[in-house]
Amino acid sequence: MKPVTAKLMIWLGGATIMSLIATLVLWLSPAIASDVVESTSSMPPEVIRWGLVAAALATGASSIAAGYAVSNVGSAAIGALAENPELIGRVLIVIGLAEGIAIYGLIISVLILNGIF
């Protein structure tokens, strides 16, 4: 197999796994929402269901975006460090900024869940 084809297969496999997980979350969210509504009857089950989906999508999408950003920034950082090892501090800051995307998504999902429950 060509390297480009192998990369494509890895991306397609990851997308397939993510779609199966999203389907499982959407399938289980009515059951979770109905259990929550029975304990706290302040919100309708549709609001809780879509809130759980929104929290899952916020965390998942931001984690995927952070992984993509870190892979691109990390490979460029290794190239820069190979030429000039004194750039280690600047490189770590840039990689940390790329990892911050996942933390922002996690914070948003916590805020969504806090609003639901």
Side-chain angles (χ1 to χ4, degrees):
M1 243 193 296
K2 294 180 182 178
V4 174
T5 308
K7 275 188 176 180
L8 180 64
M9 295 303 281
I10 290 171
W11 276 100
L12 287 176
T16 303
I17 290 171
M18 290 300 294
S19 65
L20 290 173
I21 291 171
T23 303
L24 182 65
V25 166
L26 288 174
W27 182 57
L28 290 177
S29 64
I32 296 170
S34 65
D35 290 343
V36 171
V37 168
E38 289 175 4
S39 64
T40 60
S41 62
S42 62
M43 287 192 182
E46 285 293 318
V47 173
I48 295 173
R49 181 184 331 168
W50 286 109
L52 292 173
V53 171
L57 285 176
T59 303
S62 66
S63 297
I64 290 172
Y68 182 73
V70 168
S71 71
N72 288 337
V73 170
S75 64
I78 294 298
L81 285 176
E83 293 180 11
N84 190 0
E86 287 118 18
L87 295 176
I88 187 75
R90 293 179 184 169
V91 165
L92 288 176
I93 291 172
V94 173
I95 292 175
L97 288 173
E99 290 177 358
I101 297 170
I103 296 170
Y104 295 142
L106 185 64
I107 290 170
I108 293 299
S109 66
V110 166
L111 289 173
I112 290 171
L113 291 175
N114 190 23
I116 293 172
F117 300 116

